[in-house]
Amino acid sequence: MNQPDVAQFPQGHILTVGSHQAKIARYLTSGGFAQVYIVEISPSNEYTGSNIACLKRVVVPDKIGLNVLRAEVDAMKLLQKNKHVVSYIDSHASKFSLEKGSYEVFMLMEYCEHGGLIDFLNSRLRNRLIESEILNIMSQTCQGIAAMHRLHPPLIHRDIKIENVLISKDNVFKV
């Protein structure tokens, strides 16, 4: 399955995502079938109190892909207030006008301003982590995974790696 070539949104572009207005502040990255942006949202995220969020834009080729993303959104909603899971804010899906039969999905999520665990670990190559730091990271990450496993039915992450652990503005590790 090939990912369609989708142009990036320019800085300042405004989108409606559910009940939120999202203004593109900066493109972050892309991977797989998604583009990720930092956005300014209105209204602010009620959970974090911030008007800065992360926007994940995904183009899926068919209804099967759309249903997979809907299941992801449903799981994110159930985990929304868990301290160790990136918080869901809002989402929207619609038909993608550039490719027949495909859909475009937008997901607003908490922006973890301290970046990813991989960047943190790379910054500590010379000054290695001590045992208590390692245990803290593992404990917080496992708490997020355990919250997923406590759902009925349990949610299995299927892509646990250091690139998928983020660090919030309060230095909380989140999956």
Side-chain angles (χ1 to χ4, degrees):
M1 167 167 60
N2 293 329
Q3 170 67 1
D5 186 24
V6 179
Q8 294 176 13
F9 289 127
Q11 184 176 352
H13 185 80
I14 297 175
L15 301 157
T16 299
V17 181
S19 63
H20 289 80
Q21 292 292 311
K23 181 179 178 183
I24 303 293
R26 178 167 63 100
Y27 169 80
L28 272 182
T29 189
S30 61
F33 295 92
Q35 294 176 346
V36 181
Y37 300 86
I38 297 174
V39 295
E40 296 173 27
I41 60 169
S42 176
S44 295
N45 179 352
E46 65 183 57
Y47 179 65
T48 64
S50 176
N51 72 328
I52 304 298
C54 182
L55 174 72
K56 182 177 177 182
R57 176 193 193 194
V58 185
V59 176
V60 294
D62 51 31
K63 283 200 177 205
I64 293 170
L66 180 62
N67 288 335
V68 168
L69 281 177
R70 281 186 176 147
E72 181 179 336
V73 166
D74 290 344
M76 290 173 70
K77 286 178 181 178
L78 293 172
L79 296 163
Q80 190 170 16
K81 295 196 170 42
N82 186 287
K83 180 179 179 178
H84 299 289
V85 177
V86 175
S87 177
Y88 167 86
I89 300 171
D90 213 339
S91 59
H92 175 78
S94 61
K95 291 190 177 203
F96 186 52
S97 60
L98 298 180
E99 191 164 311
K100 188 176 180 176
S102 63
Y103 296 86
E104 186 172 36
V105 180
F106 297 103
M107 291 185 277
L108 282 175
M109 298 172 284
E110 169 187 7
Y111 173 58
C112 293
E113 67 183 63
H114 286 281
L117 177 56
I118 189 153
D119 299 319
F120 175 69
L121 293 176
N122 284 335
S123 75
R124 295 289 300 272
L125 290 175
R126 291 182 193 256
N127 183 16
R128 301 265 180 193
L129 297 176
I130 60 173
E131 183 178 353
S132 61
E133 291 174 306
I134 295 167
L135 292 173
N136 181 45
I137 293 166
M138 288 301 300
S139 173
Q140 291 186 44
T141 302
C142 288
Q143 287 177 63
I145 300 299
M148 293 175 185
H149 290 182
R150 280 192 299 271
L151 294 177
H152 296 286
L155 175 67
I156 300 172
H157 191 288
R158 297 189 194 274
D159 198 19
I160 300 169
K161 58 187 178 187
I162 59 174
E163 291 87 353
N164 288 339
V165 176
L166 301 174
I167 309 167
S168 75
K169 67 179 178 182
D170 301 325
N171 291 312
V172 174
F173 293 89
K174 299 180 174 236
V175 290

